[in-house]
Each structure stands twice: as C-alpha cells, then as structure tokens.
Amino acid sequence: MTSDVFEPLAGLEGVGSAARAARDAVDVLLRDRGLRKVSADMTAEALLRGAHASAALAGSPSTLDEVRRGDGDALAAGAVRMTSELMGLAPQLNTAPVKVWTRLHQLAAADLGSEDQLGHLRTSREPIPDDIPGLLPAPSADEMWERLSGLAQALTRPTKAPGLVVAAIVHAELAVLRPFPTANGLVARAAEHAVLIAKGIDPLSVTVPEVGQLELAGSYAQGLRDYASGGLVGVQAWLLRSCEVIALSAERSPLNTSSQ
C-alpha cells in the first residue's frame, strides 16, 4: 500500500476538474471561504434535512415534518441521532476513524437490532439486512476487516487528494463492505458527511449531501455496484457522481432558502 492511496484516484480522468467545480459550488455558498455567518439553528436545520433524506434512502416512509417533530420511524430516529453528534465526531476521523464509524452505528441502529450488535463489526457474511437494495453480495468478514483496516490507516495519513474524493471513497467502501450487522447505508452516508466537515469542505455543515444522494437516488445503487465491480472505470464513475452530489447539496442548503 502506498502512503497516499487517495491521490491516484483523484487523478482519474475528469475527477480533478469535477472536484474543483463541486468545491467552487460550496465555496460560493460559504462566500468564497469567507465562511458567511451561520447560526446554530441553520446548521441544525441542514443536519435535520440530511437525516431525513438519508433515512428515506434507507426505506423510511417518514416525512420531513414528522422527523422535525420527533415522530419519525426507527430509521429516521437513528439518522437524527447520528447527525446530532456529527460535528463532534468529525474531528476524530484523523486519529480514530473506526471509533467514529462504530459510534455512528451505535446511534443509527439503537432501535434496529439487539443491543449486543451496536457498534460491533460483523464476523460472518450473513445475515446482513440490505438498506441499499441492489448491491452485490457483501464480502467475507476477512476481506471486510482487511479493507476496513486499510481505509482507516489511509485516513490517518496525509493526502494530496481533494477532501471530496476522500469522502466519496469512505462512503463507497463502507456501503459495499457492510461492516455492521445493520444500518450500513445510514452509517456510510453519515461517514461521508463527517469527512466533508473534517476536511474543511463544509466545516459549518450547511450543505446537505444526503439530499443530493436522495435526488440522484436512481443512480445510487448502480453507482455502488460499478464501484465494487467495475475496476477503475467504476471508481471514476462513482467519484464523478459524488462530485455532482456535492454541488447539488450546496444548491439545496437551507442557507440558499433563507437568503431568498
């Protein structure tokens, strides 16, 4: 393994320019890194919208209003719990990424499985409830552990790759590896969001990447299948799609609504 596993992926054709364009969209929202004044309420609203969208992708029927009232189903409740701790967990990614992921799972799955499963990585291939329909079968526990360990090590090292690329790879790896017995899609999307915060792409957490994923849901599972089985071409396609998601997440920020 090279010391910077993300940089070669960022060099795939078109990825660098797409990442710059997506970053520009976020920078415009934040007034070209001047980091416009953002209230705690605005951050909370963006996180709430993201939680609802992520739960919807996992199959939750709860509406945004229901989630806002605290009346959402178990998937929505778990997504809200994760986003409530996201700002505090994100800084730990540089030193303890596995700890962050297991904490996210504890929060996401508190109402979805037995207590002894919370935060514990799986030790066998089955059963793994699929909250991202249409994915390829999960890899063996041994392969999962090996790849997850490599990803965690890579996150603790410096990289020249854009933070957007790192976030997209974390999302895809957690989604296809399915390291937990439940709620892997919820955890993968929250983990991507945490990287965007930690890498300074959106330190105020006012974009809503989960909303971008929901709006592009038609290509979500296929993008992950291509990532898992399509070699570098599949990885490239996933990264380009992820940059599109981030640009869309800036457009859908509640900051844009509030400024109109």
Side-chain angles (χ1 to χ4, degrees), residues 89-98 100-101 151-159 166 194-195 197-200:
L89 288 171
Q92 301 177 44
L93 280 172
N94 292 330
T95 56
V98 176
V100 172
W101 300 333
L151 179 64
Q153 291 173 17
L155 283 171
T156 64
R157 298 170 178 155
T159 179
V166 177
V195 174
I197 296 169
K199 293 291 186 181

Side-chain angles (χ1 to χ4, degrees), residues 108-132:
D111 300 326
L112 299 175
S114 60
E115 187 173 347
D116 61 355
Q117 292 183 330
L118 299 181
H120 291 287
L121 299 172
R122 64 181 174 86
T123 56
S124 62
R125 183 186 294 269
E126 299 293 349
I128 308 171
D130 192 356
D131 62 348
I132 306 177

Side-chain angles (χ1 to χ4, degrees), residues 37-190:
K37 185 176 180 179
V38 175
S39 69
D41 287 346
M42 192 60 65
T43 293
E45 175 63 18
L47 289 169
L48 182 73
R49 294 185 189 184
H52 167 258
S54 187
L57 273 171
S60 168
S62 300
T63 67
L64 179 58
D65 285 342
E66 288 171 337
V67 174
R68 197 186 305 282
R69 295 195 305 267
D71 295 331
D73 67 353
L75 288 167
V80 170
R81 281 192 296 267
M82 282 194 301
T83 56
S84 70
E85 293 195 17
L86 210 56
M87 299 294 284
L89 288 171
Q92 301 177 44
L93 280 172
N94 292 330
T95 56
V98 176
K99 181 180 178 181
V100 172
W101 300 333
T102 55
R103 178 55 181 164
L104 288 173
H105 184 257
Q106 289 173 341
L107 296 166
D111 300 326
L112 299 175
S114 60
E115 187 173 347
D116 61 355
Q117 292 183 330
L118 299 181
H120 291 287
L121 299 172
R122 64 181 174 86
T123 56
S124 62
R125 183 186 294 269
E126 299 293 349
I128 308 171
D130 192 356
D131 62 348
I132 306 177
L135 293 189
L136 298 173
S140 69
D142 288 342
E143 180 183 348
M144 178 273 291
W145 278 86
E146 181 179 0
R147 285 175 59 176
L148 197 71
S149 296
L151 179 64
Q153 291 173 17
L155 283 171
T156 64
R157 298 170 178 155
T159 179
K160 295 180 180 179
L164 292 166
V165 169
V166 177
I169 295 299
V170 168
H171 181 164
E173 284 291 299
L174 291 177
V176 302
L177 292 179
R178 279 160 280 180
F180 300 105
T182 56
N184 288 289
L186 287 173
V187 171
R189 291 184 288 275

